[in-house]
Amino acid sequence: MSRNPRVYSAMALAAALAATSVAAPALAEPAAAGTPSAYIVTLAGQPLATYGGGVDGLAATKPGKGKKVDTASTGAKRYREHLTKRQDETARSVGATAQRHNSVASNSFVADLTPAQALKLHRTGGVVSVVQDTLRKALDDRNSSDFLGLSGDKGIWASLGGAPNAGKGIVVGVIDTGVWPENPSFAGPALGTEAPTAADPYRPYRQGTATVMRKADGSTFTGLCETGTEFTADLCNQKLVSARYFGKAWLKANDPAATGEYASPRDRGGHGSHTASTAAGNHAVPATANGIDFGQISGVAPGAAVSVYKALWEGPDGGTGYTSDIIEAIDQAVADGVDVINYSVGGQSESSTDDPVQLAFLAAADAGIFVATAGGNSGPDASTLDNTAPWTTTVAASTVAPYLGEVRLGDGSTFRGASTTVSAPFGPKPLATSVSVKNAAASDSDAEICAEGSLDPAKATGKIIYCVRGVTPRVDKSAEVKRAGGVGMVLGNPSDQDTGADVHAIPTVHINTPDTEKVLAYAATPGATVTLLPSSSTEGVEYPQIASFSSRGPSLSNNGDLIKPDIAAPGVSILAAVAPPGNQGKDFDFYSGTSMATPHIAGLAALYLGTDPLLSPATVKSAMMTTTYDTKTPDLFAQGAGHVDPARMLKPGLVYDAAAQDWYGYLEGLGVKTGTGAAPVATSDLNYPSIAVGTLFGSRTVTRKVTALTPGVYHADLDLPGIKTKVKPSTLVFKKAGETKEFTVSMEMTRQTDAGAIVGSLTWRGKDTAVRSPVMVTPLSAKAPAEVKGEGPAGSLTFDVTPGVSKFSVKAHGPVSADPVPGTVSPSDIWGKEVSVVVPEGAKAVSFKLIPGDPETEVAAILGYTEGGAMQGLAWLTSWEDYRAVLANPRPGKYTLFVITMGSAETPFSTQVNVVDAGSGSGALTVTPGKPKVTPGTAFPLTATWSGQLDRTATGYIEYPNGAGTIVTIN
């Protein structure tokens, strides 16, 4: 891949992608001077799960179709030794030591590295990525199994032979915060030592300390009930067949006793128990919380077995885990032989395409494991997704019929909100704002949110208190009201947000704006009273719709060429098992988040695999995506293909299959050197159940292949407004199941094509079958150089621009030439010297330049961006990149250069950062023609002219319609 400087668009910024073929590291807080940081180094050789041979003397270890990887074979042991040796050699090449090795789903090692060592590895052949070990976070009809049509005489479970058989013979692996094994959702017969009989072939049993289970696909799962703090081997059973924990990095950095954590698979926070029980918890489990009976709940695949991999740990910020621990968990899950992995975890920004966790999931998918991942809880802003690799199924969160209550004020006004704790009329009672009943020592801001200890019992006793959402957990607010003698709570959103059906300590109704302002104003009047009422009517409530918190696309790392999220599932107010220590003693609670939506998809995958265990993960994903229906939020960036429909999922008609070579080709197409020999594939051409073209200019043809699960004749129906389209062939005839046919979809802009994203669908219609794929294209306003370069204090250059739209505006900004800032860096500066700049909103471009002060000593820099308090690596600045990085349409915020020396002594350097905004300029940059008359598709010459420049680098920007543009670099 080219090592020349690149122009990075705003779409590329969320991916930690350097100006080279590999990712820049994700940066944490700088380590103390002299203290290296832990990095994960991924190598190009394939891990056991995907190795198809090619190394002299080492046989292939990749499992055959329908089989799981055998890590105990002689060949696997020899190949693992080969990988480990290569990892050790790579670490030693920069004077480091590989401390931990991964080889099943990931060919990677963990080592403590200085930035200089990381830089050397970044430039070492055969190294795919060098990524700092960072923390990742667990993402936070009324019964979702009823809403999905799983229960009842005509439900999916009944069609599969009843709930106990739904998912039987399938193992769901859950990578999360652990499990509370005593919860009845995980109850099961004890594990015996006798092998199963023909009448019950999938019964797990003990073989020494291991749990062994023959699975529906004919392979064997081998797990372990790992002992530790308050966790003994007998806590596993025929439902919870295995439980392990992975925390070397987290336990090294944290004292579990300080947070009440358990150094074992036991869950403290509840997140892992919730996701595991949602995916595959037992059927018809009575669920009560705070004395309220919520009836019976069930996992989506109640007949499946559960294997827990605790890699996230409870801390001040909830469940978090280090990348290295998560990769070990994935490695083990693949080695154990799970069929499905649920990963309700996300980073603070979109993971890059060659992120080590995503690459480990690629190997898992290639080994036949369906991987469901959470899209994230950072919505409704655009491009807030995580886990966007095409080999995983990225899940959005939708609503189900809500639990409702009403707030009736003394003046007769009534407002509806979410409530699970008002089962009968409660009141009238005095209504007071929390600030009016605060302790004298408490601040108004603490009292407003009902922070712990902020309310005065002498003032609050016997009243219903109005508290404002924010800062403290919602259920902690009601606990504070109860402590102060309050008898009820009205919880109000300060801005437009979702409302949560939490199990509060006292009767509570959670309301949204603008109702909150009205209730708050009334509560401040003398003699204010309120009655809390139950409400069973959902009149006027539209569902399913995508939750406001659910992260949105487009996926930046895929440049708009892959629609993400993939699919939506219930994720709001989901009742499931939790861990009592982190949930005020409750065994069950309502959680909301894409974390809750993801196990619904994981459970449905288990159901599907229970009917046909040899289906590929891509086939199962395709079956889900092409049989969806639109939510009440029919935005592809919110819902993906649509809302999952379990009844139709089992009869998709046609599927879009894919395998490892497709995914490696996709990576190669994005510039990631995989070392697999796979030919590059444009992301838009990946055989996927959706079609996206992030930049359509003129015309574009994409290719797809479909495989028939149900033979017959299928006719294409393509709807894409404003685009001239053609499907060839438009009719596909399948004579038998398993046949595969190829077709192309041509899309061409016309004079009437509007700018901006255009949404449509392609549907293959057969007898009683409709196979629908969402289609999205974004017409490109211009084809022009990303960057042009000129020399001299004054001058001009001419380049061709091809317009894509008929109304074509051109505007010049800049140029800007900031004064270089001198500095020095010493080898003892392990994290180097920091140079920071804040890029304002609306900036058109920014140029970062590192200027070495000593031609005999090399310096380098890592460019990072601060987001959510964490540093995200964007690019390396080295001699290979001409010591530059330029960004078009950069995100506003703080950018930092970490300058390091490769020498042995104090090294001088200078940095220059040019920020181009609408009103900046150190001279004059003009462009002619300023108002061109154009014909779409026909190139015309554009001339950029400048004057008044000093003998140093200046940066300008020429802007075209819809955010397109060309960076002008002078000197």
Side-chain angles (χ1 to χ4, degrees):
M1 190 174 186
S2 170
R3 294 287 185 175
N4 293 328
R6 298 227 178 146
V7 177
Y8 297 87
S9 70
M11 293 196 71
L13 285 177
L17 193 62
T20 67
S21 61
V22 299
L27 304 173
E29 290 297 317
T35 305
S37 279
Y39 281 78
I40 301 154
V41 181
T42 303
L43 304 186
Q46 293 171 292
L48 271 72
T50 61
Y51 173 60
V55 179
D56 288 345
L58 295 176
T61 56
K62 178 180 177 178
K65 185 175 177 61
K67 303 294 183 182
K68 296 297 185 286
V69 62
D70 182 2
T71 60
S73 69
T74 301
K77 291 177 181 177
R78 290 186 61 211
Y79 186 62
R80 188 196 294 261
E81 290 171 0
H82 165 77
L83 294 181
T84 301
K85 180 181 179 182
R86 175 72 178 116
Q87 293 170 11
D88 287 336
E89 290 171 349
T90 303
R92 285 197 298 269
S93 72
V94 296
T97 301
Q99 298 167 339
R100 297 158 66 182
H101 301 84
N102 302 297
S103 58
V104 180
S106 171
N107 177 15
S108 63
F109 65 89
V110 180
D112 286 339
L113 304 174
T114 66
Q117 290 172 317
L119 177 63
K120 289 176 182 177
L121 286 176
H122 158 70
R123 297 169 57 170
T124 298
V127 174
V128 173
S129 64
V130 184
V131 178
Q132 194 179 3
D133 195 8
T134 52
L135 274 174
R136 301 184 183 222
K137 185 173 176 58
L139 302 169
D140 280 342
D141 311 315
R142 299 190 330 189
N143 185 310
S144 60
S145 60
D146 292 344
F147 173 73
L148 290 173
L150 303 178
S151 55
D153 293 340
K154 296 183 180 180
I156 301 300
W157 292 335
S159 71
L160 299 176
N165 293 313
K168 200 169 185 64
I170 303 299
V171 180
V172 177
V174 181
I175 299 173
D176 214 299
T177 63
V179 65
W180 193 261
E182 293 84 0
N183 192 285
S185 288
F186 307 113
L191 290 166
T193 56
E194 293 184 3
T197 63
D200 189 12
Y202 308 133
R203 176 174 55 79
Y205 65 101
R206 286 202 186 280
Q207 196 173 77
T209 58
T211 303
V212 178
M213 174 181 156
R214 180 171 174 267
K215 301 194 292 101
D217 64 3
S219 65
T220 300
F221 169 85
T222 304
L224 178 70
C225 203
E226 192 172 5
T227 60
T229 307
E230 296 189 28
F231 207 97
T232 55
D234 60 356
L235 289 173
C236 289
N237 53 45
Q238 293 181 31
K239 163 58 76 173
L240 179 63
V241 294
S242 180
R244 302 177 187 261
Y245 68 102
F246 304 85
K248 292 185 179 73
W250 193 91
L251 291 169
K252 181 179 179 181
N254 297 273
D255 176 10
T259 60
E261 253 293 5
Y262 305 95
S264 73
R266 184 173 289 279
D267 185 11
R268 183 185 183 279
H271 193 273
S273 300
H274 201 283
T275 56
S277 61
T278 299
N282 285 322
H283 174 61
V285 175
T288 60
N290 287 355
I292 302 171
D293 183 358
F294 292 104
Q296 296 179 333
I297 62 170
S298 298
V300 173
V306 175
S307 182
V308 166
Y309 302 86
K310 178 178 176 177
L312 287 92
W313 302 74
E314 193 69 14
D317 298 322
T320 57
Y322 280 91
T323 302
S324 58
D325 293 336
I326 292 170
I327 291 174
E328 276 198 59
I330 299 169
D331 220 51
Q332 189 63 59
V334 176
D336 287 350
V338 301
D339 300 283
V340 176
I341 289 177
N342 185 85
Y343 184 70
S344 292
V345 183
Q348 293 178 318
S349 58
E350 183 175 3
S351 300
S352 62
T353 49
D354 56 357
D355 173 83
V357 169
Q358 304 306 316
L359 292 181
F361 281 142
L362 188 159
D366 190 33
I369 300 170
F370 180 93
V371 182
T373 57
N377 298 339
S378 300
D381 292 340
S383 299
T384 49
L385 283 168
D386 194 12
N387 298 315
T388 56
W391 45 85
T392 72
T393 301
T394 310
V395 188
S398 65
T399 60
V400 294
Y403 287 82
L404 297 173
E406 292 183 352
V407 175
R408 180 173 296 167
L409 304 180
D411 64 4
S413 302
T414 301
F415 306 99
R416 190 162 59 173
S419 179
T420 60
T421 51
V422 181
S423 56
F426 184 74
K429 300 286 185 182
L431 174 64
T433 65
S434 54
V435 174
S436 71
V437 296
K438 76 180 186 73
N439 277 328
S443 65
D444 283 1
S445 59
D446 278 350
E448 184 179 52
I449 60 172
C450 295
E452 183 179 2
S454 63
L455 306 184
D456 186 349
K459 302 174 183 176
T461 296
K463 297 177 181 177
I464 293 176
I465 308 299
Y466 178 89
C467 299
V468 177
R469 177 182 186 169
V471 185
T472 60
R474 298 189 295 264
V475 293
D476 288 0
K477 299 174 189 294
S478 60
E480 169 62 12
V481 173
K482 182 179 181 180
R483 181 203 64 79
V487 294
M489 181 176 76
V490 177
L491 178 61
N493 288 340
S495 59
D496 186 18
Q497 294 172 280
D498 61 297
T499 55
D502 307 297
V503 182
H504 286 279
I506 49 178
T508 297
V509 178
H510 185 177
I511 61 175
N512 195 19
T513 57
D515 298 342
T516 51
E517 289 84 357
K518 299 171 185 176
V519 174
L520 184 59
Y522 172 77
T525 62
T529 62
V530 64
T531 301
L532 305 183
L533 300 165
S535 176
S536 58
S537 171
T538 58
E539 182 180 353
V541 179
E542 292 189 326
Y543 64 91
Q545 54 184 309
I546 302 302
S548 61
F549 60 74
S550 189
S551 292
R552 264 66 167 175
S555 163
L556 301 178
S557 62
N558 288 295
N559 301 314
D561 291 329
L562 188 70
I563 296 173
K564 287 282 184 171
D566 292 308
I567 200 165
V572 177
S573 299
I574 304 301
L575 181 62
V578 294
N583 294 271
Q584 299 178 330
K586 296 188 287 288
D587 293 314
F588 301 91
D589 209 345
F590 292 89
Y591 283 8
S592 295
T594 54
S595 286
M596 286 61 255
T598 305
H600 283 89
I601 295 298
L604 288 171
L607 287 185
Y608 206 154
L609 290 171
T611 68
D612 193 343
L614 300 185
L615 291 175
S616 71
T619 291
V620 175
K621 173 199 277 194
S622 178
M624 290 184 183
M625 288 178 62
T626 60
T627 56
T628 59
Y629 59 90
D630 282 337
T631 67
K632 304 300 180 181
T633 318
D635 173 359
L636 296 191
F637 291 146
Q639 69 169 23
H643 198 283
V644 68
D645 186 343
R648 293 189 61 223
M649 170 192 81
L650 297 176
K651 297 179 180 179
L654 306 176
V655 293
Y656 296 80
D657 202 2
Q661 281 303 103
D662 300 291
W663 300 324
Y664 285 128
Y666 152 85
L667 288 171
E668 293 282 347
L670 290 174
V672 179
K673 301 305 181 185
T674 65
T676 62
V681 175
T683 302
S684 293
D685 281 321
L686 186 66
N687 205 47
Y688 211 73
S690 61
I691 297 174
V693 178
T695 52
L696 175 65
F697 187 83
S699 63
R700 177 78 160 84
T701 298
V702 299
T703 303
R704 290 291 188 272
K705 294 179 180 179
V706 285
T707 300
L709 298 188
T710 304
V713 180
Y714 294 82
H715 302 283
D717 179 7
L718 177 56
D719 175 29
L720 198 59
I723 300 291
K724 182 180 178 181
T725 62
K726 184 176 183 179
V727 181
K728 185 179 180 180
S730 59
T731 298
L732 298 176
V733 179
F734 298 90
K735 295 182 179 180
K736 61 181 180 180
E739 271 193 280
T740 298
K741 303 280 186 179
E742 183 175 290
F743 66 91
T744 59
V745 178
S746 299
M747 296 160 280
E748 183 178 352
M749 295 172 61
T750 68
R751 286 183 175 273
Q752 288 72 42
T753 300
D754 292 329
I758 298 174
V759 176
S761 63
L762 168 64
T763 304
W764 287 99
R765 300 189 186 279
K767 184 181 179 181
D768 302 323
T769 305
V771 186
R772 186 187 72 162
S773 293
V775 180
M776 177 177 288
V777 299
T778 304
L780 183 65
S781 66
K783 271 189 176 179
E787 181 183 23
V788 294
K789 298 178 182 179
E791 300 285 342
S796 65
L797 55 86
T798 300
F799 54 95
D800 284 343
V801 175
T802 304
V805 292
S806 56
K807 295 181 180 180
F808 197 80
S809 60
V810 179
K811 186 175 183 180
H813 303 277
V816 173
S817 182
D819 293 332
V821 178
T824 61
V825 60
S826 166
S828 63
D829 298 321
I830 296 298
W831 265 91
K833 290 294 178 68
E834 295 183 23
V835 180
S836 296
V837 62
V838 175
V839 174
E841 185 83 39
K844 305 300 180 181
V846 59
S847 167
F848 299 90
K849 185 174 183 180
L850 175 63
I851 306 167
D854 179 358
E856 301 300 321
T857 305
E858 184 175 359
V859 291
I862 300 171
L863 174 62
Y865 175 78
T866 301
E867 183 174 49
M871 188 73 73
Q872 175 196 348
L874 293 181
W876 302 95
L877 277 69
T878 73
S879 58
W880 288 14
E881 290 82 28
D882 195 26
Y883 296 111
R884 292 196 313 128
V886 285
L887 310 174
N889 297 311
R891 285 181 293 178
K894 181 181 177 182
Y895 292 78
T896 303
L897 283 172
F898 296 87
V899 182
I900 57 178
T901 178
M902 308 298 288
S904 58
E906 191 86 6
T907 305
F909 68 89
S910 296
T911 56
Q912 184 193 38
V913 181
N914 295 335
V915 179
V916 183
D917 59 29
S920 59
S922 58
L925 178 66
T926 60
V927 60
T928 54
K931 296 181 179 180
K933 295 181 178 180
V934 303
T935 300
T938 301
F940 72 94
L942 197 65
T943 299
T945 303
W946 63 90
S947 62
Q949 298 308 300
L950 301 175
D951 187 20
R952 66 191 190 202
T953 298
T955 307
Y957 187 72
I958 299 174
E959 185 177 12
Y960 314 126
N962 305 323
T966 296
I967 290 179
V968 180
T969 299
I970 305 167
N971 300 326

